Amino acid sequence: MKRPLLSTALVLGGAIGLFLFFNTLQGCRPNTSQASAVKGDAAAKTYVKPGSYDEFYNFVSGGFSGQLSVYGIPSGRMLRNIPVFSEDPQSGYGFSEETKPMLMTTHGFIPWDDSHHPELSQTDGVPDGKWCFINGNNTPRIALIDLGTFRTKSIIEIPNCAGNHSSPFTTGNSEYVVSGTRFSIPMGTDAQRDVPIESYRENFKGTVSFIHPDPESGKMSIAFQIITPGMNFDLSHAGKGPSEGWFFFSCYNSEQAFSLLEVNASQHDKDYVMALNWKKAEQYAKEGKGKKVPAKYYSNWYNEETHTAESTVLEEVLQLDPRELKDLIYFMPCPKSPHGCDVDPTGRYIVGSGKLAALIPVFDFEKIQKAIAANDLEGDFMGVPVLKYESVLHGEVKKPGLGPLHTEFDGKGNAYTSMFVSSEIVKWNIERLEVLDRVPTYYSIGHLSIPGGDSKAPWGKYVVAYNKITKDRFLPTGPELAQSAQLYSIDGDKMELLLDFPTIGEPHYAQSIPADLVRPREVKFFDINKNMHPYVSRGEKETGIERKGNEVHIKMTTIRSHLTPDNIEGIRIGDVVYFHVTNLEQDWDVPHGFAIKGARNAELLIMPGETATFKWVPDQVGIVPFYCTDFCSALHQEMQGYVRVSPAGSNVKLTAETRSFDAGS
């Protein structure tokens, strides 16, 4: 299991050298050689004529933007950028009073995160078009996006977690989504957390959290956490079929290093895949065999009736300890520094992807169960049993490529693995472990995605590569270039490159689903008669203005092509003004905007039938204009109004009205 430090450095140096060589080589390739890789009929296979729809929705992580992007497949057209963990000035998400609670955490209001892995909700192991989950890696959170509204509906903070990377992967009926911590940390009281970094082995622990989304409301709660030995968790997937009830996680840094991990966490020939019996954990939790520990965290939920987010602060979490509950988790050796951990559609085979391995190991669930039953162990790691590698192995794919990262499946017995260092997708047969095809990617592919490719029933028509480097693929845009997605056909025996399209950076993982599963749930507008917002105005006669000390509340409506009221007086320096704006439209795709000069937040974007609130603190005496920011009609420019701001202590009467006007007076 141990590799001498010198040889580790040589292996790493060789891998890094190959990486640099490939990227230098690819960055210098002339455009003509790249173009020749695409067949003449490729454009016809991706063409979606005007007025027609794409076949698939492709949900792509926004990476360090903290958002979720939606593209059409096969066209590659960007359809929507959904704000999740980041403020969005285009829509007012995180700026409006109704959405600010969505970004609350125990650290306060956090307007950013690092989102990595979209995961579609499932029914019987197949994506169902209801929800899409995504993780916040930096300030550990998981979000739920409603695919009826394409809006963030729920966000839960994950306590006892640092670097929420191994998430949010769902069970077959979305009973749970999991969150595995990337960084292990000390937990407990202040005294237990204030320990030397070099005490990693003794004091650092990981967690895997099981989060339950309510099937009706989408509210999320933490059902239980499982304490794990201290190391790093990377990716995971739930079992299916014979492995239903289990989860599998890739783990690295079994060296338990805490400095210069590039070298110190790459000394072992093998790290681990962790097999977790979540059905058994669920049973133990229901039987009260866990321990409730203090853990403050936020659960935020957007109420569709009141059009307002609500925050609940929770104070404890149930934890299960596998050192006491011996049949919860098992480790399987996996070469080397694994990233991907993927389960094939049959649920029998689990694929590990060691970033520094020259092969791909494939584990057999039947053999895993036999090894557990026979106590066929090679030892233990921090009190957790380690199954013998040879006893649980289906086999190894030999010489597949350099830097295997992530694998998905076409439902026809084939697997597709991304190769980061050699910049290619490799297709191989799961049973025979034979490489069948390989195609270059441009360049340094990270994840890849097949529609439904991690489910029981993939729609195996395309594979999309999400590349880290573009070099000469697109028009240059200064020192930073757009990230690249590339669409390949997998209809035939050979993969075929069809299309490049740029993506919001940095894309990590993505999932796709047939549009026909999403479109029946689409919300075209909100029924204004069901709007229960406390400041709703269901018609212009319900608008008005009210002072509460230094707070002023203005109930306003917007409709093509005016705002009511549009003349407001009696506002004073020192006031805090709330514009509660209701969009009276009851037609699809007729939003209205609201902005006011000098505001220090963003605009509002209010959908038909919706109410949203804009907070404004005037800082200058004078007449201040406000207007609609979203083009809605030929007289959009006329959608404006004025606020008169007077000095503090002024006795100007508080009024809000839309006045008749005689042009000849």
Side-chain angles (χ1 to χ4, degrees):
M1 293 285 289
K2 292 286 186 183
R3 177 184 292 276
L5 183 59
L6 177 61
S7 63
T8 299
L10 290 172
V11 169
L12 281 169
I16 293 168
L18 281 169
F19 168 71
L20 294 174
F21 170 76
F22 271 97
N23 278 286
T24 301
L25 179 65
Q26 292 161 341
C28 296
R29 288 178 179 173
N31 289 338
T32 52
S33 68
Q34 296 165 15
S36 65
V38 181
K39 295 181 180 178
D41 63 346
K45 294 179 180 179
T46 63
Y47 179 66
V48 178
K49 66 181 180 181
S52 297
Y53 294 138
D54 278 284
E55 184 178 358
F56 295 95
Y57 283 108
N58 182 219
F59 299 94
V60 184
S61 69
F64 41 70
S65 76
Q67 299 175 340
L68 178 70
S69 299
V70 186
Y71 296 83
I73 297 295
S75 74
R77 299 179 295 193
M78 183 175 177
L79 305 175
R80 175 60 60 85
N81 196 35
I82 303 172
V84 183
F85 301 110
S86 297
E87 292 175 316
D88 180 38
Q90 177 180 341
S91 65
Y93 178 84
F95 291 106
S96 73
E97 297 305 296
E98 287 79 6
T99 57
K100 284 180 181 178
M102 295 299 290
L103 301 179
M104 284 300 299
T105 74
T106 53
H107 303 280
F109 181 85
I110 302 292
W112 169 86
D113 215 311
D114 181 19
S115 56
H116 279 222
H117 305 127
E119 176 84 350
L120 293 163
S121 60
Q122 296 186 0
T123 299
D124 193 24
V126 180
D128 55 22
K130 183 179 182 182
W131 295 329
C132 183
F133 303 96
I134 192 166
N135 61 330
N137 188 31
N138 183 65
T139 303
R141 290 173 282 180
I142 286 177
L144 180 156
I145 293 91
D146 187 329
L147 297 187
T149 60
F150 281 67
R151 286 179 165 187
T152 303
K153 187 176 183 67
S154 183
I155 296 178
I156 191 166
E157 188 179 10
I158 314 299
N160 303 312
C161 179
N164 175 38
H165 190 265
S166 183
S167 74
F169 298 97
T170 182
T171 53
N173 287 295
S174 297
E175 302 97 332
Y176 302 105
V177 290
V178 300
S179 164
T181 185
R182 173 181 173 181
F183 308 103
S184 289
I185 54 172
M187 302 174 199
T189 65
D190 286 353
Q192 290 171 315
R193 297 196 304 271
D194 183 20
V195 296
I197 296 173
E198 58 264 27
S199 69
Y200 187 110
R201 184 180 297 269
E202 295 78 26
N203 293 316
F204 286 49
K205 296 288 185 291
T207 57
V208 173
S209 301
F210 279 74
I211 294 102
H212 173 66
D214 182 85
E216 298 301 322
S217 68
K219 284 184 179 180
M220 291 189 286
S221 59
I222 297 177
F224 53 87
Q225 289 182 326
I226 297 174
I227 299 292
T228 67
M231 55 179 163
N232 298 58
F233 291 89
D234 205 335
L235 295 176
S236 59
H237 272 97
K240 52 182 79 81
S243 57
E244 173 68 30
W246 288 74
F247 244 105
F248 304 93
F249 299 79
S250 58
C251 319
Y252 64 102
N253 191 23
S254 58
E255 296 83 355
Q256 297 186 305
F258 49 84
S259 179
L260 195 62
L261 264 64
E262 179 183 15
V263 173
N264 294 325
S266 301
Q267 297 185 52
H268 292 175
D269 288 330
K270 293 183 176 68
D271 285 289
Y272 297 116
V273 165
M274 183 174 76
L276 189 158
N277 188 335
W278 71 261
K279 280 289 189 183
K280 181 69 71 173
E282 181 184 57
Q283 175 189 330
Y284 285 147
K286 290 178 179 178
E287 292 172 353
K289 293 187 178 179
K291 178 182 179 182
K292 289 187 177 180
V293 299
K296 186 176 180 180
Y297 58 101
Y298 272 73
S299 179
N300 307 320
W301 176 70
Y302 190 80
N303 187 327
E304 297 286 358
E305 292 184 352
T306 63
H307 298 196
T308 303
E310 305 168 1
S311 290
T312 302
V313 181
L314 300 157
E315 301 285 348
E316 64 180 14
V317 67
L318 178 68
Q319 289 187 341
L320 306 176
D321 191 337
R323 293 171 300 182
E324 301 170 2
L325 306 169
K326 298 293 187 180
D327 52 357
L328 280 185
I329 62 176
Y330 301 86
F331 287 127
M332 303 183 294
C334 180
K336 174 181 184 186
S337 298
H339 182 63
C341 183
D342 304 286
V343 181
D344 88 309
T346 71
R348 178 173 178 177
Y349 298 113
I350 299 96
V351 179
S353 297
K355 299 189 295 289
L356 300 180
L359 51 84
I360 299 173
V362 182
F363 303 99
D364 185 329
F365 184 75
E366 292 180 7
K367 291 184 176 181
I368 293 169
Q369 294 304 293
K370 289 178 181 178
I372 291 172
N375 202 33
D376 191 5
L377 308 177
E378 66 174 43
D380 73 90
F381 178 76
M382 304 298 289
V384 176
V386 179
L387 304 173
K388 286 183 180 177
Y389 181 67
E390 295 77 9
S391 299
V392 297
L393 191 70
H394 168 59
E396 298 171 339
V397 182
K398 304 292 187 181
K399 298 181 180 179
L402 296 173
L405 286 187
H406 173 221
T407 300
E408 294 215 342
F409 309 92
D410 62 8
K412 305 168 188 174
N414 303 312
Y416 299 73
T417 300
S418 56
M419 300 288 173
F420 176 77
V421 177
S422 53
S423 290
E424 58 185 333
I425 298 174
V426 174
K427 175 183 177 180
W428 50 277
N429 181 271
I430 302 168
E431 280 286 348
R432 301 193 305 273
L433 305 171
E434 296 175 357
V435 173
L436 304 175
D437 190 25
R438 61 180 72 237
V439 291
T441 61
Y442 305 99
Y443 307 96
S444 297
I445 180 176
H447 283 271
L448 49 69
S449 176
I450 293 171
D454 71 337
S455 75
K456 279 185 178 180
W459 295 274
K461 187 172 184 179
Y462 303 108
V463 62
V464 186
Y466 300 95
N467 304 324
K468 303 300 185 183
I469 298 172
T470 54
K471 297 293 186 186
D472 45 18
R473 303 305 286 181
F474 306 116
L475 288 171
T477 52
E480 184 183 13
L481 303 177
Q483 274 79 21
S484 169
Q486 294 187 296
L487 179 73
Y488 297 80
S489 169
I490 57 173
D491 266 346
D493 293 334
K494 298 293 183 180
M495 293 176 279
E496 178 188 358
L497 176 61
L498 301 179
L499 180 70
D500 288 11
F501 58 95
T503 62
I504 299 285
E506 175 195 355
H508 292 269
Y509 185 43
Q511 289 199 335
S512 299
I513 192 171
D516 288 344
L517 289 179
V518 178
R519 289 179 58 206
R521 298 190 65 250
E522 67 193 14
V523 174
K524 291 183 167 64
F525 57 85
F526 299 102
D527 186 344
I528 198 168
N529 296 308
K530 296 179 180 178
N531 183 336
M532 296 294 112
H533 192 287
Y535 287 96
V536 63
S537 299
R538 295 187 182 86
E540 293 180 4
K541 292 182 179 180
E542 296 183 14
T543 61
I545 191 166
E546 180 184 14
R547 176 179 290 280
K548 296 179 179 179
N550 73 325
E551 286 188 2
V552 177
H553 293 266
I554 302 165
K555 293 176 64 178
M556 178 179 286
T557 61
T558 180
I559 194 168
R560 290 167 285 185
S561 297
H562 64 274
L563 298 151
T564 302
D566 63 5
N567 277 220
I568 298 163
E569 298 191 20
I571 304 299
R572 303 189 291 249
I573 295 294
D575 285 345
V576 178
V577 183
Y578 295 91
F579 293 90
H580 307 284
V581 187
T582 301
N583 183 342
L584 296 180
E585 307 282 357
Q586 292 288 268
D587 192 10
W588 194 13
D589 194 30
V590 189
H592 289 294
F594 179 84
I596 189 165
K597 178 190 172 187
R600 297 181 184 179
N601 41 19
E603 59 148 14
L604 291 182
L605 196 62
I606 313 109
M607 296 300 116
E610 184 179 34
T611 301
T613 300
F614 188 94
K615 180 182 178 180
W616 177 55
V617 181
D619 58 4
Q620 296 179 8
V621 171
I623 303 297
V624 184
F626 57 84
Y627 66 103
C628 175
T629 55
D630 193 278
F631 189 90
C632 56
S633 70
L635 296 177
H636 166 72
Q637 288 292 99
E638 283 72 15
M639 287 189 69
Q640 66 176 55
Y642 294 102
V643 178
R644 177 184 174 184
V645 180
S646 301
S650 168
N651 60 1
V652 174
K653 184 180 179 182
L654 187 67
T655 60
E657 54 190 346
T658 300
R659 302 176 183 176
S660 60
F661 177 70
D662 183 355
S665 62

